[in-house]
Amino acid sequence: MSAITHHVLFLQGGAGLKDHQADQVLVDSLQGGLGKAYRVHYPLLPDEPSPDLGRIRQIDQEISRLQGELVVVGHSLGASMLLKYVSENPDKIKLKALFLLATPFWQGDEKWKQAFKLPEDFADQLPQDLPLYFYHCRDDQEVPFAHLALYGQKLPWATFHPLASGGHHLNDDLRAVADAIKSL
């Protein structure tokens, strides 16, 4: 029996219990692809009555709980808030890599979006040696595929995986992400 030697934190997309349950299939696929030497941590991130739904505080709390270099995977809202958190706290944490799935690039002047938007200089605030991996499907019906290109303009050193199909949940198959994590 092999011991757990690597920890991966998965941050849900959307809001609340329903979206947490929907992303469980992604977590199960990732855990299956990683095998027994990895443990995928998947906390419920409940909505809080704050403009960012409490995500920045929750992400900080969850990352702080795990020791050592950490791989973090975020889906949708979880991915965008993870990127915001890391760009606002570049020296606070040591991460091994970020994997960002179906990541919205928040734009617009609507008041509700302001807490989700990245600052204009967010790319300059990220550690340049932090590996960033983006995965996005062309047929995503929730987050436009064009958002991947917006991240490409801001983060040219990142690794981008445009996928032909799979929708917002990447066909509930994260074997390619698991393989990339194991290759780190």
Side-chain angles (χ1 to χ4, degrees):
M1 180 185 244
S2 61
I4 294 172
T5 57
H6 305 283
H7 294 274
V8 176
L9 175 63
F10 190 101
L11 301 171
Q12 75 186 61
L17 183 60
K18 180 181 174 190
D19 290 313
H20 186 266
Q21 291 170 336
D23 279 1
Q24 183 65 55
V25 179
L26 292 173
V27 172
D28 293 344
S29 173
L30 182 61
Q31 183 66 70
L34 290 171
K36 293 180 181 180
Y38 291 79
R39 177 167 178 220
V40 179
H41 302 265
Y42 185 42
L44 172 63
L45 303 179
D47 290 349
E48 295 178 4
S50 66
D52 73 352
L53 305 175
R55 291 303 184 267
I56 296 298
R57 185 192 62 72
Q58 293 166 350
I59 291 169
D60 182 63
Q61 184 177 13
E62 295 302 330
I63 287 175
S64 296
R65 285 184 186 174
L66 299 169
Q67 300 296 317
E69 283 191 320
L70 183 62
V71 171
V72 186
V73 179
H75 176 240
S76 196
L77 176 63
S80 65
M81 295 308 287
L82 173 60
L83 200 54
K84 182 175 176 71
Y85 172 79
V86 173
S87 69
E88 292 175 354
N89 299 281
D91 299 322
K92 184 175 181 181
I93 53 173
K94 179 65 178 155
L95 298 176
K96 191 170 184 177
L98 297 183
F99 288 82
L100 305 158
L101 317 174
T103 310
F105 192 98
W106 298 100
Q107 303 175 82
D109 295 327
E110 296 93 332
K111 186 176 180 179
W112 68 270
K113 289 183 182 178
Q114 300 314 303
F116 302 124
K117 288 173 66 173
L118 292 163
E120 187 62 35
D121 68 343
F122 83 95
D124 297 332
Q125 305 308 313
L126 293 170
Q128 296 296 306
D129 61 344
L130 176 63
L132 299 172
Y133 300 85
F134 286 82
Y135 294 77
H136 207 124
C137 297
R138 293 184 186 280
D139 63 350
D140 188 328
Q141 296 294 313
E142 293 184 43
V143 176
F145 181 72
H147 289 203
L148 185 65
L150 295 172
Y151 282 114
Q153 292 168 6
K154 296 284 189 176
L155 303 165
W157 68 87
T159 302
F160 294 90
H161 296 277
L163 304 170
S165 64
H168 190 59
H169 283 90
L170 297 92
N171 282 331
D172 293 326
D173 183 357
L174 296 188
R175 285 178 293 182
V177 175
D179 290 343
I181 292 171
K182 290 190 292 189
S183 75
L184 294 173

